[in-house]
Amino acid sequence: RDIVDTIEPHLMAEGSKAILGLQKCKHLGKKIKAQRTPQWPVPMTTDLPSKDICDALVDCYLRTSERVYRVLHIPSFKREYAKFWDSGTRYDPILLVQLKLVLAIGCTTYDAEFSLRSLGVRSIYEAQTWFAEPEYKARLGIPFLQAHILLFLARELLGVDGGMNWIAAGTLIRTAVYMGLHRDPVQIPNLSGFASEMRRRLWNTILEVCLQSSMESGGPALISVEEFDTEPPRNFDDHDIDAEHPIPHPENQLTSSSTAIAFRKTFSIRLAIAKFLNDLGCQGSYEEAVSLDARLRASYKEMCRTIQGYS
């Protein structure tokens, strides 16, 4: 008892110092966040870094995020991006929104110091201001949906979402359903091969981000396999779908869509696990948990074999 009485005041003093240190860190973190957060609203501008930096940021985006989350048709985007730098050329405002968000995502892998974070955050705020304008329905279309997905990814990767990306995922998937992306393009007459494949890619990406937001937030997955019939993306490189009647490559041939296709094969088991963990009415048993674990491990091994098999 004497030893405890001697040590206790020192422990309490050290604990108070630790709490005070944590409070100071929290206060400092808030100040840093406030300094890099622009005042709302932030109108969209054409202000960009130098072309060399923009080229590097676009490349960072294309070799990382776009390889997993297919959003853009890369040849089309590169053509529009090249036109953007031609003086006197008119451009679609939605292209500027897409470009700003691509640059924001590229900032996350530009360098180890994350030196362009403030640029990325401002780009997100500009895009968010543009989305808040009261012309939402008039803009609905594939370019708008692409920008919406890019905004979702940028907010998450740069930590601007405040942990609320699951709510944004609900808006995203309902927008896609409103546009009919949950129905396979074969159900839509007179749709080109290019348009069909872009719809499949975007729906696949939306499924992926909604599932991941469910796992991160602990919220319901917002979708079930019975609520859509859109097929997975087909094994095309981007230049293939410019053809009038494109023919997919064999599954064992690496294309720009291969990673997304490989992940889609594991979607049903990952969705089942999300529902097992997060759905309110789920009465999951130990036996079901073991079964889901075995299925996930088998699916994961198969995906690894597929990806490692690409030359």
Side-chain angles (χ1 to χ4, degrees), residues 165-167 169-170 173-174 209-224 271 274-281:
N165 240 12
W166 179 74
I167 296 175
I173 199 163
R174 282 164 178 77
V209 297
C210 285
L211 175 57
Q212 291 193 23
S213 70
S214 168
M215 294 298 293
E216 290 167 3
S217 68
L222 306 174
I223 194 69
S224 68
L271 180 62
K275 289 181 175 294
F276 178 83
L277 295 173
N278 299 338
D279 280 13
L280 186 62

Side-chain angles (χ1 to χ4, degrees), residues 5-302:
D5 290 341
T6 303
I7 296 176
E8 187 174 21
H10 297 284
L11 293 177
M12 292 180 65
E14 292 300 320
S16 298
K17 289 179 182 178
I19 292 172
L20 183 60
L22 289 173
Q23 290 174 340
K24 287 182 178 179
C25 289
K26 188 175 181 181
H27 179 68
L28 180 61
K30 286 182 177 180
K31 287 184 67 176
I32 293 172
K33 186 175 181 181
Q35 288 176 357
R36 67 172 181 242
T37 301
Q39 293 295 315
W40 179 268
V42 188
M44 183 67 63
T45 70
T46 56
D47 295 339
L48 294 174
S50 67
K51 188 174 184 300
D52 288 343
I53 292 179
C54 287
D55 289 347
L57 293 176
V58 169
D59 181 65
C60 286
Y61 166 79
L62 293 177
R63 65 181 172 79
T64 56
S65 180
E66 183 65 31
R67 292 197 178 193
V68 180
Y69 304 110
R70 294 311 320 270
V71 179
L72 302 173
H73 180 245
I74 296 175
S76 299
F77 177 77
K78 285 186 173 180
R79 285 193 296 267
E80 295 300 321
Y81 174 68
K83 289 180 184 177
F84 182 83
W85 294 99
D86 293 338
S87 59
T89 302
R90 294 189 63 183
Y91 59 87
D92 189 339
I94 201 167
L95 169 66
L96 180 60
V97 177
Q98 291 182 0
L99 175 57
K100 291 260 186 173
L101 293 170
V102 164
L103 297 179
I105 296 172
C107 288
T108 61
T109 53
Y110 177 70
D111 57 21
E113 292 77 25
F114 209 167
S115 61
L116 297 178
R117 181 170 190 159
S118 58
L119 168 68
V121 171
R122 182 173 182 86
S123 296
I124 291 172
Y125 271 72
E126 289 185 15
Q128 192 72 67
T129 302
W130 182 83
F131 272 94
E133 293 177 2
E135 299 179 8
Y136 191 88
K137 187 173 181 180
R139 293 170 174 167
L140 281 181
I142 294 300
F144 173 86
L145 191 61
Q146 289 171 313
H148 200 165
I149 297 171
L150 290 171
L151 177 61
F152 180 96
L153 295 172
R155 286 178 56 184
E156 182 177 37
L157 290 170
L158 277 87
V160 179
D161 62 325
M164 304 296 285
N165 240 12
W166 179 74
I167 296 175
T171 301
L172 183 59
I173 199 163
R174 282 164 178 77
T175 302
V177 170
Y178 185 86
M179 294 172 58
L181 267 71
H182 64 303
R183 301 307 311 273
D184 192 77
V186 297
Q187 309 289 340
I188 305 173
N190 303 321
L191 202 63
S192 68
F194 176 89
S196 297
E197 190 56 28
M198 288 305 299
R199 291 172 72 91
R200 290 191 182 101
R201 289 182 179 185
L202 293 177
W203 178 253
N204 187 69
T205 295
I206 291 170
L207 290 178
E208 189 65 40
V209 297
C210 285
L211 175 57
Q212 291 193 23
S213 70
S214 168
M215 294 298 293
E216 290 167 3
S217 68
L222 306 174
I223 194 69
S224 68
V225 293
E226 293 80 19
E227 294 172 344
F228 65 92
D229 60 7
T230 305
E231 294 292 327
R234 295 176 180 173
N235 200 30
F236 289 117
D237 272 316
D238 280 25
H239 60 80
D240 296 328
I241 61 175
D242 286 328
E244 186 174 353
H245 300 291
I247 300 175
H249 295 287
E251 278 199 7
N252 60 356
Q253 181 173 334
L254 179 66
T255 70
S256 57
S257 299
S258 294
T259 303
I261 294 170
F263 270 100
R264 177 63 178 271
K265 290 180 179 179
T266 71
F267 177 77
S268 60
I269 176 57
R270 290 185 290 129
L271 180 62
I273 291 172
K275 289 181 175 294
F276 178 83
L277 295 173
N278 299 338
D279 280 13
L280 186 62
C282 179
Q283 303 294 326
S285 64
Y286 174 77
E287 290 75 16
E288 185 179 359
V290 171
S291 174
L292 289 171
D293 174 75
R295 288 172 56 196
L296 178 64
R297 290 174 184 272
S299 182
Y300 173 73
K301 289 178 181 178
E302 179 61 29

